[in-house]
Amino acid sequence: MTDLPGRRPPPAEKPPSFRERLDNLRHLGRLIAQIWRTSAPLTAASIGLRLVAALQPIAMLYVGKLIVDEVVRLTGLTAPGPTFADWWGSGALTTIVLLLGLELALVLGSDLLNRIIGLVDSVLAELHSNTVSVELMAHAARLDLVHFESAEYQDRLERARRQAAGRNALLSQMFGQAQDIITVATLAAGLFVYAPWLILLLPLSFVPAVWGEARFNTLAYMISRWRTPERRELEYIRQVGASAETAKEIKLFGLGDFLITRFKTLAERIFQDNRRIALQRSFWGALFSAISTLTYYGAYGFIVWRTITGDFTIGDLAFLSGSFLRLNGLFQKLLLGFTQIAGQSMYLDDLFSFFEITPNITSPAQPRPFPEPIRHGIVFEDVGFRYPDTDSWALRHLSFTLTAGETLALVGENGAGKTTIVKLLTRLYDPDEGRITIDGIDLKDFAVADIHAHIGVIFQDFIRYSLSARENIGVGRVDEQHDMARIGDAAERSLADAVIAKLPKGYDQPLGRLFNKGRDLSGGEWQKVAIARAYMRDAGLIILDEPTAALDAKAEAEVFARFKSLASGKTAVIISHRFSTVRMADRILVLEHGGILESGSHEELLAQRGRYAELFELQAAGYR
């Protein structure tokens, strides 16, 4: 595995040590801070309510003891009469009625309190899930393109996404732990007053269970981590196997059984791992539970004996047995909760370590203003670039000038470096050698957002957003997406207006088949909508990477005739394999092995009888 820029070395493929698990607990503080940022009032309410609820068990047990003792006392009295009225009139029942009323109030209050806590936690968890998802998307948007092109990054992103959606239960668990700690302290204090040594039995009942839970939490986490690539592949196969975009080819090629078999194979591997851990956890859990039960009944027998000998009252018996039983359960719950939280903190590491990935491509502290308009041009000065984790150069010793107002076409076979030039020009990557300047200013001296705001780019693999036609164009300049005049003008420039005019709801028509009432477009129609995004931006530099690949010859001619007239006064870069398109450019660069092989206009390059002329003749022969 290779390391990513701005991240720590990848973890060893072995279970984390005890020290590493303790180190992961630092993420709990970050989680609490994140919860507080989500909603300080709800967080404070959850904590306050749980503080009150923590005192309820000891109150219930003590009131129960008083009731039992009062009942025993009453049974020893001479009856004031045979009826309830006689007893009530004598005043003998006043205390027991008050105690029963108090117990009823505690029961009703406990139920109401737990419902309110559940409501607060539910709302807080929903808000927190949204907060984490927003922060996750915001951080991903700041990262470099290199991260998105790395399989390891995709694994880390997948794990972070799963934790963003799956850690909400940890909120209630953490706050519940704090509540249980207070309850344990009050119950232990009461138990200590009567029989201090009984507390020593408690560790015997819960330590084995805690050890087992900690071990199986770690194993479950490691299997989840090791199986991340398989889980990503499962999601990919699930999407490919049931997607509108792939349905035609799957049917025609008969790929259904192939994908199902592959899905089953991967799913079976994960299932076997999880089943093995589940079986082991169940076996050892049953054994440790038996130890806990035996310990409790040993203590219970001692309390009964002390009651028989007169050391404890019947009420004391009820209080102590109830306290010990509740303490035993709470101690197990508390320490198992700690081990589970420690286990969850390993998953939190997947989330928060993702936030620790930092981009290498950043804006300078004091950026220079982007030239508007570009007055002189763009210069590549001895530029060299290698993609991460590769030894070969995608570009090497590349030097050329794109004059302001010029339309430059890039031609070459796949892998020649055409799209790499675009990625460097838009600062999705930085060159390893040389530099790129705009009007004499190094590209690194501009704010990254400013560069992107002044360049209109449409790639061949543009996104087909499942949004309305208006929004599909408006994303070209998001801050102007409600300007219908601008959107209509962009659509008219790209010839997408005719496509939209045929839609039932016009610009408000949802596109794509993902959502209800959506209308899909042909490849060429989608491409016109995508080109409209570049016009929507109205940038001084326009880059079109294979912009007409899905258009027929007539539509291509129309689009570029319009583009040529509208690009007047703007600087443009066109990448295309179609020579009918590139011949419209003012100048053409023929690339090969990351360098410039030929340069000139269409006529000049044909006259040279070089590589361009050879490629042109090969393509022209296909139309004869």
Side-chain angles (χ1 to χ4, degrees):
M1 296 175 69
T2 56
D3 197 14
L4 293 176
R7 64 153 291 186
R8 298 170 298 174
E13 292 299 316
K14 61 181 181 180
S17 65
F18 179 74
R19 176 61 181 274
E20 289 171 330
R21 289 199 294 268
L22 287 179
D23 288 341
N24 283 332
L25 292 177
R26 63 189 171 87
H27 294 308
L28 296 177
R30 298 177 66 174
L31 178 63
I32 293 173
Q34 196 178 58
I35 296 168
W36 187 264
R37 287 199 310 271
T38 297
S39 175
L42 285 177
T43 305
S46 181
I47 294 172
L49 291 169
R50 288 181 182 280
L51 179 62
V52 176
L55 301 176
Q56 186 267 347
I58 185 68
M60 285 285 294
L61 286 170
Y62 191 72
V63 170
K65 162 193 155 41
L66 295 178
I67 290 174
V68 171
D69 284 342
E70 181 65 12
V71 169
V72 172
R73 186 186 72 81
L74 290 174
T75 58
L77 296 178
T78 302
T83 66
F84 176 79
D86 296 328
W87 280 85
W88 182 257
S90 70
L93 298 181
T94 301
T95 300
I96 191 68
V97 169
L98 290 176
L99 289 173
L100 288 173
L102 179 59
E103 186 177 55
L104 176 62
L106 287 172
V107 171
L108 293 176
S110 175
D111 179 70
L112 179 61
L113 198 60
N114 288 331
R115 291 180 184 277
I116 296 174
I117 290 173
L119 175 62
V120 171
D121 285 358
S122 175
V123 174
L124 185 59
E126 183 73 17
L127 290 175
H128 178 252
S129 177
N130 294 339
T131 298
V132 176
S133 296
V134 168
E135 291 182 357
L136 191 68
M137 289 188 291
H139 187 69
R142 289 192 292 269
L143 296 180
D144 301 334
L145 184 62
V146 61
H147 295 106
F148 292 90
E149 295 180 342
S150 162
E152 182 191 345
Y153 166 85
Q154 292 298 327
D155 287 344
R156 296 186 71 184
L157 178 58
E158 173 65 19
R159 288 195 293 266
R161 282 173 177 162
R162 292 177 63 193
Q163 302 327 312
R167 296 305 107 203
N168 287 335
L170 189 57
L171 307 186
S172 297
Q173 191 174 15
M174 283 180 22
F175 291 157
Q177 285 290 97
Q179 176 182 334
D180 289 341
I181 288 174
I182 297 173
T183 301
V184 164
T186 57
L187 289 174
L191 188 63
F192 187 80
V193 170
Y194 286 93
W197 71 271
L198 287 179
I199 297 179
L200 300 178
L201 288 177
L202 290 174
L204 182 61
S205 68
F206 60 72
V207 167
V210 169
W211 175 84
E213 193 67 21
R215 172 176 170 77
F216 289 117
N217 280 339
T218 301
L219 287 176
Y221 167 75
M222 292 310 299
I223 285 180
S224 174
R225 185 178 184 87
W226 291 331
R227 290 301 188 188
T228 297
E230 284 89 343
R231 289 187 181 277
R232 278 206 304 121
E233 189 173 349
L234 274 180
E235 290 302 316
Y236 171 74
I237 294 173
R238 182 183 287 116
Q239 181 181 1
V240 169
S243 169
E245 289 78 11
T246 60
K248 295 190 295 293
E249 189 160 313
I250 288 176
K251 287 181 176 295
L252 292 174
F253 289 169
L255 298 178
D257 290 341
F258 166 76
L259 293 174
I260 290 172
T261 300
R262 185 151 184 170
F263 184 93
K264 286 182 176 179
T265 301
L266 289 170
E268 180 65 18
R269 293 178 193 168
I270 297 174
F271 169 74
Q272 291 295 340
D273 288 339
N274 291 335
R275 185 178 67 173
R276 184 173 65 255
I277 288 184
L279 290 173
Q280 292 177 4
R281 187 193 291 262
S282 297
F283 171 78
W284 288 104
L287 178 61
F288 296 146
S289 177
I291 294 174
S292 174
T293 302
L294 290 173
T295 304
Y296 164 70
Y297 274 96
Y300 186 51
F302 172 78
I303 295 171
V304 170
W305 170 248
R306 292 287 299 274
T307 304
I308 293 173
T309 59
D311 293 331
F312 296 150
T313 67
I314 300 298
D316 292 339
L317 171 65
F319 176 76
L320 290 173
S321 61
S323 293
F324 190 84
L325 180 61
R326 183 68 67 92
L327 266 176
N328 181 52
L330 278 177
F331 260 114
Q332 286 199 46
K333 180 183 175 184
L334 196 62
L335 291 179
L336 289 177
F338 276 128
T339 61
Q340 289 171 353
I341 289 175
Q344 296 300 320
S345 69
M346 292 187 289
Y347 291 93
L348 285 176
D349 185 65
D350 291 334
L351 176 63
F352 287 116
S353 66
F354 175 79
F355 288 117
E356 293 172 4
I357 302 175
T358 56
N360 285 342
I361 298 177
T362 57
S363 301
Q366 296 181 326
R368 302 279 296 274
F370 194 93
E372 191 175 5
I374 298 174
R375 300 185 181 280
H376 303 292
I378 300 167
V379 179
F380 276 60
E381 300 178 4
D382 197 33
V383 169
F385 175 75
R386 283 187 297 199
Y387 283 98
D389 307 322
T390 60
D391 296 325
S392 60
W393 291 86
L395 300 173
R396 194 75 191 277
H397 301 307
L398 181 69
S399 298
F400 69 89
T401 299
L402 173 57
T403 306
E406 180 184 26
T407 297
L408 179 70
L410 303 179
V411 175
E413 297 179 355
N414 292 334
K418 304 184 297 298
T419 299
T420 302
I421 290 176
V422 174
K423 290 178 180 179
L424 293 174
L425 184 53
T426 52
R427 213 181 166 213
L428 295 176
Y429 284 101
D430 281 334
D432 296 312
E433 296 178 346
R435 67 173 190 156
I436 304 169
T437 64
I438 299 180
D439 283 357
I441 304 172
D442 195 308
L443 204 60
K444 295 179 181 179
D445 292 334
F446 301 120
V448 175
D450 209 17
I451 295 172
H452 297 165
H454 287 85
I455 301 178
V457 186
I458 294 297
F459 290 100
Q460 180 180 1
D461 54 347
F462 59 86
I463 299 177
R464 305 182 183 197
Y465 294 100
S466 292
L467 303 171
S468 68
R470 172 179 57 80
E471 291 168 324
N472 260 280
I473 297 174
V475 294
R477 186 172 285 277
V478 177
D479 54 342
E480 300 288 344
Q481 62 176 310
H482 300 296
D483 187 344
M484 279 306 303
R486 185 167 188 154
I487 290 174
D489 180 63
E492 191 272 332
R493 291 183 178 198
S494 70
L495 304 179
D497 56 340
V499 175
I500 296 172
K502 295 186 294 184
L503 299 173
K505 295 184 179 180
Y507 283 92
D508 292 323
Q509 176 67 52
L511 301 184
R513 294 291 186 184
L514 186 59
F515 300 115
N516 191 28
K517 298 182 180 179
R519 288 292 184 93
D520 206 1
L521 304 179
S522 68
E525 289 172 333
W526 270 113
Q527 202 136 25
K528 290 178 181 179
V529 171
I531 293 173
R533 295 172 196 159
Y535 288 125
M536 179 72 184
R537 175 141 295 198
D538 194 25
L541 174 60
I542 301 176
I543 302 174
L544 303 180
D545 187 352
E546 294 288 356
T548 59
L551 300 178
D552 57 38
K554 180 181 178 182
E556 178 192 35
E558 291 175 348
V559 167
F560 270 96
R562 181 68 61 88
F563 172 77
K564 188 66 177 175
S565 62
L566 293 174
S568 177
K570 297 182 182 293
T571 307
V573 176
I574 298 173
I575 298 176
S576 180
H577 286 93
R578 294 186 180 181
F579 288 89
S580 57
T581 297
V582 300
R583 68 189 301 173
M584 299 180 185
D586 300 318
R587 187 159 53 98
I588 302 167
L589 296 183
V590 182
L591 302 174
E592 187 172 83
H593 305 308
I596 298 175
L597 184 64
E598 298 171 357
S599 176
S601 66
H602 174 71
E603 291 75 15
E604 291 171 345
L605 292 176
L606 287 181
Q608 292 179 19
R609 307 302 300 170
R611 183 62 174 159
Y612 179 86
E614 178 186 349
L615 294 173
F616 180 81
E617 289 298 330
L618 285 173
Q619 192 170 108
Y623 290 96
R624 295 192 183 113

